[in-house]
Amino acid sequence: MEGEIERDSWAPTGAQGMNPSILVVDDDVGKVDRIVRLLVQVGVRDEDVLTVRDAAAARRALGSRHFDLMLLDVLLPVREGSQPHGDVSVELLRQIVEDNTVHSPSHIVAVTAEPGAARDHQEGFRDLVTQVLHVGPGDSEWERSLSLLIQRLRRGNARDAYECDIAIVTALRSPELEPVLSLEGSKWG
């Protein structure tokens, strides 16, 4: 988890769909542990989760590959050892969403253990994230929301894996398949 592990983007997980790749950006080790534990419980493979602790590491990770989901702490340090602040997270979001300087995750969810943090930085987060989850000790509402999001991501990834809109299945080469292959303007691979 700590550090990036490449995954086979087409590795199926059976009837559940495809494994989403997830970036967790948070400096709170306890919160990260709770999040990763839940992700593993709902069937996300350990190697599909990358955790980083600051905005600089998040930019590096997003610069190197695409993630299906990014879970971003509302209060984040710029780099290791600096003080966490909401403006850092908002600036990172703007770079991702508005500036297109790194790969934009398909979904971005803000997470916080601080009850007032989301409210204090609501203006910056409002248009840039899908939702804000309160991941505090003893609070379990976030678990249901995140579990449902993972289910939706899996269904979406499974649909995307086919890379087609229509499948034509024939039982016989002749007389069924040959006329299909000879259709004008068709590009069969």
Side-chain angles (χ1 to χ4, degrees), residues 31-135:
K31 186 169 34 156
V32 169
D33 287 345
R34 287 191 301 277
I35 290 169
V36 171
R37 196 172 323 120
L38 174 72
L39 293 172
V40 170
Q41 283 176 350
V42 299
V44 175
R45 297 181 314 192
D46 213 29
E47 62 266 20
D48 290 326
V49 179
L50 172 64
T51 62
V52 297
R53 300 177 69 143
D54 57 63
R59 272 193 284 294
R60 285 191 303 274
L62 292 165
S64 68
R65 64 181 275 206
H66 170 73
F67 290 90
D68 297 307
L69 171 63
M70 179 174 74
L71 299 170
L72 175 67
D73 190 3
V74 171
L75 302 175
L76 192 66
V78 173
R79 61 188 53 80
E80 185 95 24
S82 63
Q83 286 291 83
H85 199 276
D87 291 340
V88 173
S89 298
V90 171
E91 180 57 28
L92 176 61
L93 283 169
R94 285 202 173 101
Q95 290 173 351
I96 294 167
V97 176
E98 296 172 354
D99 299 347
N100 255 349
T101 57
V102 294
H103 299 286
S104 181
S106 302
H107 301 276
I108 302 171
V109 174
V111 294
T112 185
E114 304 294 327
R119 183 184 61 247
D120 294 345
H121 300 282
Q122 180 179 355
E123 186 70 30
F125 278 88
R126 181 184 6 242
D127 298 328
L128 300 173
V129 298
T130 307
Q131 61 184 318
V132 178
L133 298 178
H134 182 262
V135 184

Side-chain angles (χ1 to χ4, degrees), residues 102-171:
V102 294
H103 299 286
S104 181
S106 302
H107 301 276
I108 302 171
V109 174
V111 294
T112 185
E114 304 294 327
R119 183 184 61 247
D120 294 345
H121 300 282
Q122 180 179 355
E123 186 70 30
F125 278 88
R126 181 184 6 242
D127 298 328
L128 300 173
V129 298
T130 307
Q131 61 184 318
V132 178
L133 298 178
H134 182 262
V135 184
D139 187 357
S140 62
E141 187 176 316
W142 67 273
E143 294 174 344
R144 180 167 161 44
S145 294
L146 187 53
S147 296
L148 291 171
L149 177 58
I150 297 301
Q151 287 176 8
R152 286 194 308 274
L153 283 172
R154 279 204 175 113
R155 283 193 303 269
N157 284 354
R159 277 193 302 271
D160 294 345
Y162 294 108
E163 293 186 18
C164 69
D165 295 318
I166 299 172
I168 300 173
V169 179
T170 64

Side-chain angles (χ1 to χ4, degrees), residues 169-183:
V169 179
T170 64
L172 303 170
R173 175 171 289 284
S174 180
E176 296 171 344
L177 180 60
E178 289 168 351
V180 172
L181 293 175
S182 67
L183 289 172

